[in-house]
C-alpha cells in the first residue's frame, strides 16, 4: 500500500535528496529488529525525514514556505478508499490523522519534516511524494504497520511486557501431546528476519479478495479484524495461493510437519515456489503468528487439549453410542489442536468483546465459502454468545462436548457430566518466560459450575433455532451436480423427505429459470413435475436435466440460474418450497509468461482458453492490464471466431515500467461468453547489466 505526502511551497525548494532517517525512525517505532534496509514505521506515530537542499536553493521559511505531501498505497490508490492521502504543512502534527510540520535544520540547507500517520490507516507499503505547485519529487517508500503502542490503534495493548512477548518476541514454545503429558516444542517465529516482512505483505497481495477487488482489499487493511480473517484463509492452501498444504497421513513429496522448527524457511519456500508441503495444526498456527506479529498484530499460539471437530455444525460435539456402547458419531476429538489468539478491539460487536480473538488457520470447515475460521472473541466463546462474528459456534464446539446414547426405540439420552473430555489445559507460552500458561478460564467456565450450565443451555437454544428440516412434517431440499460448467448438460435434483408418521401424497414441481445478479427474473429454462407417495421416513427424488440448448439462449453474462422446488401435501394442503441460485462455472483462461521479466523490456503473455460451448464463439478477444505492467492501458487482441470445443489463443505483449511484484489481469470476451477473468502474479526484475 502507498500513501503520498504532498508539500506545497510558494517558493519552490530545489531538493537534492531526501534522508528517510531509517535507523532513528525504526528505533523509535520499535521496528529496528527488522533486517530490511527500508523505512518501517507504525501508524499513529510521528516519524521524521530530512530534505537536503541544493546549493543556491530558495530558503525554507517556517510559516511562509508551503508544500504538500502525498502518501499512496495499493495498485489503484484512491482518496475515497483512504489509500491516497494529500496534506499540507501545519504548525504541529496531530495524532488523529495524516499531518506534517517542518523546521529548518541547523545548517540552513536542510528541512526536517515531521509526519504523523493516521492510527486508522491501511497497513502496507507506501510511497511518499512531495508536491510543490505541481512539481513532484519522489521522496521514497516506507512500510506502515499496526501500532500496539498507540492508544488510538485498534491493536493497542497497554502492557509493555505483553507487547514485548506478543509483538517483539521472535521465539516461542508450542505445546503438544495429551493433557496428561504436555510437552513444549520450541519455535523460531523469525518475523524480523530479512525478507520476511516483504513475504508477509505478499501474502496479503495474492489473497483472492485482493485479486477480486484490490481497491476494497487494500482499504480493508486498516482493520485488523479483516486482515486476521484473510490470514486465516491464506496460511492454508485449500483455497487459492495459500502457504501450507495440510497432510496427516502420506508425507511423500514433502517435509514431515514435525521436522519444521521455524516459520522463516516455510515462508521463503512459499514465496519462491508456492504452497509448501506439509503442515499440521501447530505449523499453521506458528506461521500465522509470525505473519501477525510482523504486521504489528499482537498474537499468541494456543493449544487446546482434547479438541473437538464439529462435523454437523450443531454447536456441540455429540458422541453417539448405541446401547452396546458402539461409537456411532461422525464428530471427532483430537488429542490436541493448535490455533492463534490475536489482540484487537471489536467495534463491530461492542467493547465487551474487545481483547483476545481466536482464529484457526488449519483448514477444517468452510466459512463464507473459504477455509478460514475467526476471529471470534474469547468472551463470546466463554459466554455462549454464538451469533457473534466470526465462527464462534465452531470454536465453541472445539471446547465443549456432549455424550449421548441411542436407545433401541431411537430415543437419545444425554450422559451427565461428560463435558470434561475436551477443552482441557488450554495452553500458551507465559509472558517473558518459557513456561506454560493455562488460559482455560479465558475460554470456558469451570466444569460443573452454574455459569457453565447456563452457557450450555444458551448454546442448545441457539442450536434449536439453527436446525432445519428435522421437525415432523415434509422436508424439501435441492441437490446440485458436481460439475456445472457453462455449455454442458447436467442434472439437478429436488429431494422430498417425509418426517411424518404416515405416508403422504404430494404434488411435486421443479422449475429452472434464468436470473440476473440483482434478482431480476429471466425466462424459463427447465420444468418437470410428478405426483408422488412418500412413505414415513423415506424420501423421493425429482430430477431435472438442464440442457445448454434450453438455458444457453436465456442466461445473462452473470451465468445464473434460479432453481425452485415446490410440493403440496394433499392431506393438509400445506405448501413447501426450496430455492437455490446456481452460478455456472466459467472456463479457465491459461496465462504463460515467456522469458525473463525485466523492467523496460518487452514481455509476451501466451493466453489460451477452451471454448466449452457446443456452438461457435464470435467477436472473440483477449485483454490484459496491470499496474506498472501495461502503462495504465488495456492491451487488446481480437481473434475473430472460435469453433465449438476449440481453443482460443493469442499473444499479448507488454513492457513493465516498475520493478517489483504486480498482477496481470487477463480477460476474454465474445458474443456468447463474457467477462471471463483470470490473473497471474508478475515479478519484475531490474534490467540486466551488460557484461563487461
Amino acid at each position: 500500500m502507498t500513501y503520498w505526502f504532498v508539500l506545497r511551497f510558494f517558493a519552490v525548494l530545489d531538493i537534492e535528496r531526501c534522508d528517510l532517517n531509517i535507523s532513528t525512525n525504526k528505533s523509535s517505532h520499535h521496528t529496528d529488529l527488522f533486517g530490511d534496509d527500508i523505512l518501517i514505521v507504525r501508524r499513529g506515530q510521528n516519524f521524521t525525514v530530512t530534505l537536503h537542499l541544493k546549493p543556491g536553493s530558495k530558503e525554507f521559511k517556517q510559516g511562509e514556505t508551503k508544500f504538500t505531501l502525498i502518501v499512496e498505497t495499493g495498485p489503484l490508490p484512491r482518496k475515497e478508499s483512504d489509500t491516497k492521502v494529500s496534506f499540507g504543512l501545519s504548525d504541529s502534527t496531530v495524532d488523529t490523522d495524516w499531518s506534517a510540520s517542518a523546521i529548518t535544520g541547523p545548517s540552513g540547507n536542510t528541512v526536517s519534516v515531521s509526519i504523523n500517520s493516521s492510527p486508522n490507516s491501511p497497513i502496507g507499503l507506501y510511497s511518499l511524494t512531495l508536491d510543490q505547485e505541481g512539481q513532484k519529487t519522489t521522496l521514497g517508500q516506507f512500510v506502515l504497520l499496526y501500532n500496539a503502542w498507540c492508544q488510538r490503534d485498534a491493536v493497542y495493548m497497554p502492557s509493555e511486557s505483553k507487547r514485548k512477548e506478543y509483538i517483539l518476541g521472535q521465539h516461542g514454545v508450542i505445546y503438544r501431546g495429551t493433557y496428561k503429558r504436555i510437552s513444549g516444542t520450541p519455535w523460531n517465529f523469525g518475523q524480523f528476519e530479512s525478507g520476511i516482512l516483504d513475504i508477509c505483505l505478499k501474502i496479503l497481495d495474492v489473497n483472492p479478495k485482493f485479486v477480486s477487488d484490490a481497491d476494497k482489499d487494500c482499504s480493508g487493511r486498516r482493520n485488523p479484524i479483516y486482515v486476521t480473517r484473510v490470514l486465516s484463509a491464506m496460511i492454508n492452501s485449500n483455497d487459492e495461493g495459500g502457504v501450507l498444504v495440510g497432510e496427516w497421513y502420506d508425507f511423500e513429496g514433502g517435509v514431515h510437519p514435525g521436522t519444521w522448527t521455524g516459520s522463516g524457511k516455510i515462508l521463503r519456500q512459499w514465496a519462491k515456489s508456492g504452497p509448501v508441503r506439509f503442515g499440521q495444526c501447530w505449523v499453521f498456527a506458528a506461521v500465522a503468528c509470525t505473519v501477525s506479529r510482523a504486521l504489528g498484530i499482537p498474537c499468541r499460539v494456543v493449544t487446546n487439549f482434547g479438541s473437538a471437530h464439529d462435523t454437523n455444525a450443531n454447536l456441540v460435539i455429540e458422541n453417539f453410542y448405541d446401547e452396546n456402547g458402539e461409537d456411532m458419531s461422525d464428530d471427532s476429538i483430537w488429542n490436541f489442536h493448535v490455533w492463534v489468539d490475536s489482540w484487537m478491539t471489536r467495534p463491530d460487536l461492542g467493547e465487551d468483546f474487545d481483547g483476545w480473538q481466536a482464529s484457526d488457520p488449519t483448514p477444517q470447515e468452510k466459512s463464507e465459502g473459504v477455509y478460514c475460521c475467526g476471529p471470534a472473541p474469547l468472551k463470546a466463546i466463554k459466554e455462549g454468545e454464538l451469533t457473534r462474528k466470526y465462527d464462534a459456534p465452531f470454536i465453541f464446539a472445539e471446547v465443549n462436548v456432549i455424550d449421548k446414547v441411542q436407545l433401541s426405540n431411537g430415543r437419545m439420552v444425554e450422559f451427565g457430566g461428560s463435558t470434561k473430555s475436551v477443552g482441557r489445559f488450554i495452553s500458551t507460552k507465559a509472558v517473558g518466560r518459557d513456561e506454560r500458561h493455562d488460559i482455560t478460564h479465558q475460554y470456558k467456565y469451570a466444569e460443573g459450575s452454574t455459569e457453565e450450565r447456563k452457557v450450555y443451555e444458551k448454546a442448545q437454544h441457539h442450536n434449536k433455532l439453527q436446525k432445519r428440516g428435522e421437525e415432523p412434517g415434509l422436508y424439501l431440499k435441492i441437490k446440485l451436480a458436481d460439475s456445472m460448467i457453462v455449455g454442458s448438460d447436467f442434472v439437478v435434483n429436488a429431494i422430498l423427505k417425509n418426517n411424518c408418521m404416515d405416508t403422504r401424497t404430494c404434488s411435486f414441481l421443479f422449475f429452472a429459470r434464468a436470473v440476473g445478479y440483482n434478482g431480476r427474473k429471466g425466462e424459463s429454462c427447465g420444468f418437470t413435475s410428478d405426483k408422488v407417495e412418500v412413505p414415513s421416513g423415506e424420501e423421493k427424488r425429482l430430477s431435472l436435466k438442464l440442457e445448454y440448448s434450453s438455458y444457453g439462449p436465456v442466461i445473462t453474462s452473470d451465468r445464473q440460474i434460479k432453481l425452485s422446488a415446490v410440493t403440496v401435501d394433499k392431506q393438509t394442503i400445506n405448501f413447501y418450497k426450496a430455492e437455490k441460485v446456481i452460478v455456472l462455472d466459467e472456463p479457465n483462461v491459461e496465462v504463460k509468461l515467456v522469458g525473463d521479466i525485466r523492467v523496460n523490456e518487452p514481455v509476451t503473455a501466451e493466453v489460451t482458453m477452451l471454448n466449452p460451448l457446443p456452438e461457435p464463439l464470435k467477436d472473440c478477444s483477449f485483454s490484459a492490464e496491470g499496474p506498472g505492467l501495461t502503462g495504465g492501458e488495456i492491451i487488446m487482441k481480437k481473434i475473430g471466431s472460435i469453433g465449438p470445443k476449440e481453443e482460443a489463443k493469442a499473444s499479448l505483449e507488454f513492457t513493465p515500467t516498475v520493478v517489483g511484484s504486480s498482477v496481470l489481469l487477463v480477460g476474454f470476451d465474445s458474443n456468447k461468453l463474457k467477462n471471463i477473468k483470470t490473473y497471474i502474479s508478475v515479478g519484475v526484475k531490474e534490467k540486466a547489466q551488460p557484461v563487461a
Side-chain angles (χ1 to χ4, degrees):
M1 296 194 180
T2 310
Y3 272 121
W4 294 87
F5 293 95
V6 181
L7 298 174
R8 200 176 292 276
F9 294 88
F10 293 119
V12 174
L13 300 178
D14 195 0
I15 300 172
E16 181 177 68
R17 63 184 176 89
C18 175
D19 185 352
L20 296 179
N21 301 324
I22 292 177
S23 178
T24 302
N25 283 323
K26 288 173 72 172
S27 178
S28 63
H29 281 252
H30 309 280
T31 60
D32 49 316
L33 294 174
F34 282 104
D36 307 274
D37 188 23
I38 186 173
L39 178 58
I40 304 170
V41 294
R42 301 187 187 275
R43 63 185 193 175
Q45 184 176 338
N46 273 340
F47 63 97
T48 302
V49 301
T50 303
L51 307 179
H52 292 260
L53 307 181
K54 292 181 180 179
S57 170
K58 291 190 178 294
E59 182 183 356
F60 174 81
K61 295 183 178 180
Q62 191 171 3
E64 296 182 12
T65 306
K66 304 293 182 183
F67 55 79
T68 303
L69 291 172
I70 308 170
V71 287
E72 292 182 318
T73 185
L76 299 169
R78 297 193 318 134
K79 178 181 179 181
E80 295 79 6
S81 302
D82 285 339
T83 52
K84 179 178 182 178
V85 180
S86 303
F87 51 95
L89 288 177
S90 303
D91 292 337
S92 61
T93 59
V94 296
D95 58 6
T96 57
D97 207 346
W98 287 97
S99 58
S101 62
I103 58 173
T104 304
S107 63
N109 64 347
T110 62
V111 180
S112 180
V113 183
S114 180
I115 301 167
N116 199 95
S117 60
S118 166
N120 298 310
S121 298
I123 63 163
L125 179 64
Y126 281 77
S127 64
L128 174 61
T129 301
L130 183 145
D131 187 348
Q132 304 180 80
E133 299 297 328
Q135 179 179 321
K136 293 183 179 179
T137 304
T138 299
L139 301 183
Q141 291 184 320
F142 64 96
V143 175
L144 189 67
L145 304 178
Y146 295 112
N147 192 353
W149 285 263
C150 174
Q151 293 187 25
R152 295 181 181 273
D153 198 299
V155 302
Y156 172 66
M157 179 172 267
S159 168
E160 177 61 19
S161 61
K162 290 182 179 179
R163 291 193 293 252
K164 288 182 178 179
E165 181 70 42
Y166 300 131
I167 293 287
L168 304 180
Q170 301 181 68
H171 307 282
V173 179
I174 301 173
Y175 296 95
R176 299 190 293 168
T178 69
Y179 75 93
K180 288 186 176 181
R181 192 178 181 87
I182 298 174
S183 62
T185 301
W187 192 270
N188 177 24
F189 294 116
Q191 70 269 33
F192 300 121
E193 294 175 8
S194 180
I196 294 299
L197 180 57
D198 282 345
I199 296 172
C200 295
L201 295 174
K202 179 181 178 179
I203 290 174
L204 298 181
D205 285 346
V206 300
N207 93 83
K209 292 180 182 293
F210 175 84
V211 175
S212 173
D213 190 337
D215 176 64
K216 184 177 180 181
D217 177 80
C218 290
S219 180
R221 295 178 192 179
R222 75 188 73 192
N223 187 350
I225 303 169
Y226 175 82
V227 170
T228 297
R229 191 155 175 79
V230 167
L231 294 181
S232 175
M234 284 298 296
I235 299 303
N236 70 74
S237 65
N238 282 46
D239 299 298
E240 193 168 358
V243 176
L244 274 163
V245 178
E247 181 57 60
W248 281 261
Y249 304 103
D250 182 6
F251 305 109
E252 185 176 352
V255 176
H256 189 289
T259 304
W260 300 114
T261 58
S263 304
K265 187 175 181 180
I266 294 171
L267 290 168
R268 290 190 183 93
Q269 185 174 327
W270 171 80
K272 182 179 180 181
S273 55
V276 178
R277 300 173 182 269
F278 294 104
Q280 291 181 4
C281 62
W282 71 91
V283 186
F284 287 110
V287 173
C289 185
T290 293
V291 179
S292 297
R293 290 184 182 183
L295 298 178
I297 302 174
C299 189
R300 66 186 184 186
V301 177
V302 174
T303 303
N304 176 37
F305 290 95
S307 192
H309 181 189
D310 183 14
T311 59
N312 61 358
N314 69 344
L315 310 185
V316 293
I317 301 304
E318 295 174 316
N319 287 336
F320 291 122
Y321 303 87
D322 63 20
E323 288 183 280
N324 296 319
E326 293 293 328
D327 191 347
M328 300 157 44
S329 59
D330 293 324
D331 293 340
S332 59
I333 298 177
W334 298 3
N335 285 338
F336 70 92
H337 183 53
V338 186
W339 58 72
V340 293
D341 287 345
S342 302
W343 182 272
M344 65 194 70
T345 60
R346 291 302 299 265
D348 57 327
L349 302 179
E351 62 182 15
D352 286 347
F353 297 96
D354 291 350
W356 289 116
Q357 316 286 319
S359 62
D360 191 349
T362 300
Q364 297 184 80
E365 301 291 336
K366 285 190 174 183
S367 172
E368 296 183 342
V370 296
Y371 282 95
C372 68
C373 183
L378 266 60
K379 177 70 175 295
I381 298 166
K382 182 174 182 177
E383 298 293 342
E385 296 285 348
L386 303 182
T387 61
R388 308 294 180 174
K389 296 186 293 187
Y390 291 89
D391 308 309
F394 186 84
I395 300 173
F396 176 87
E398 290 189 301
V399 297
N400 290 276
V401 66
I402 300 298
D403 287 345
K404 296 182 178 181
V405 60
Q406 185 176 36
L407 305 179
S408 57
N409 62 4
R411 183 185 174 202
M412 293 289 183
V413 178
E414 182 181 319
F415 283 126
S418 61
T419 64
K420 295 181 180 180
S421 61
V422 302
R424 309 184 75 176
F425 297 94
I426 302 176
S427 305
T428 191
K429 177 186 174 299
V431 173
R433 309 188 313 276
D434 289 336
E435 299 175 4
R436 187 182 73 87
H437 177 46
D438 193 305
I439 57 172
T440 307
H441 64 284
Q442 296 181 20
Y443 275 87
K444 57 193 296 189
Y445 285 104
E447 300 287 354
S449 66
T450 301
E451 293 86 352
E452 186 213 19
R453 188 63 196 177
K454 289 180 179 178
V455 169
Y456 168 66
E457 290 172 352
K458 186 186 299 184
Q460 289 294 77
H461 175 67
H462 179 91
N463 183 31
K464 289 177 182 178
L465 294 177
Q466 294 297 313
K467 280 189 175 181
R468 295 293 186 267
E470 294 306 321
E471 299 300 326
L474 297 177
Y475 171 50
L476 190 59
K477 67 178 180 179
I478 295 173
K479 183 175 178 61
L480 304 180
D482 292 333
S483 176
M484 298 182 295
I485 189 168
V486 63
S488 67
D489 299 341
F490 54 92
V491 176
V492 291
N493 292 279
I495 301 171
L496 176 61
K497 183 178 180 182
N498 182 9
N499 290 329
C500 302
M501 298 300 293
D502 55 352
T503 298
R504 293 300 171 100
T505 301
C506 303
S507 295
F508 203 176
L509 304 95
F510 199 8
F511 308 85
R513 69 190 309 161
V515 65
Y517 79 96
N518 58 357
R520 184 175 181 178
K521 296 177 182 178
E523 296 182 35
S524 173
C525 56
F527 172 74
T528 187
S529 64
D530 197 5
K531 183 178 180 180
V532 296
E533 285 193 355
V534 191
S536 175
E538 296 186 13
E539 61 183 36
K540 293 290 184 179
R541 181 173 301 218
L542 188 59
S543 298
L544 176 61
K545 186 175 183 180
L546 294 178
E547 299 177 335
Y548 177 73
S549 59
S550 296
Y551 71 75
V554 299
I555 60 172
T556 69
S557 59
D558 301 317
R559 299 183 294 280
Q560 295 186 5
I561 298 174
K562 184 175 184 178
L563 303 175
S564 301
V566 177
T567 189
V568 183
D569 186 335
K570 293 295 186 179
Q571 284 94 321
T572 63
I573 317 298
N574 286 332
F575 286 76
Y576 301 86
K577 186 177 184 180
E579 292 184 331
K580 185 167 287 188
V581 174
I582 60 176
V583 180
L584 299 177
D585 297 328
E586 62 185 35
N588 292 324
V589 177
E590 302 291 339
V591 184
K592 181 180 180 181
L593 300 180
V594 180
D596 216 10
I597 304 170
R598 296 188 180 275
V599 67
N600 296 324
E601 294 183 1
V603 178
T604 298
E606 301 287 355
V607 294
T608 59
M609 190 203 77
L610 181 68
N611 174 16
L613 305 187
E615 61 179 325
L617 298 176
K618 299 179 181 180
D619 303 322
C620 300
S621 64
F622 283 103
S623 63
E625 63 175 315
L629 301 176
T630 61
E633 303 293 330
I634 298 177
I635 300 171
M636 184 77 67
K637 189 68 171 288
K638 296 181 179 180
I639 57 175
S641 298
I642 302 296
K645 307 299 181 181
E646 288 186 358
E647 191 172 59
K649 299 180 180 180
S651 296
L652 303 175
E653 189 173 282
F654 61 95
T655 302
T657 56
V658 179
V659 175
S661 297
S662 188
V663 174
L664 183 69
L665 302 177
V666 177
F668 176 85
D669 205 21
S670 70
N671 64 325
K672 296 288 185 179
L673 285 177
K674 297 180 180 295
N675 302 323
I676 309 299
K677 305 285 187 185
T678 191
Y679 73 96
I680 184 172
S681 296
V682 181
V684 182
K685 303 176 184 177
E686 294 279 4
K687 195 167 186 176
Q689 298 299 317
V691 179

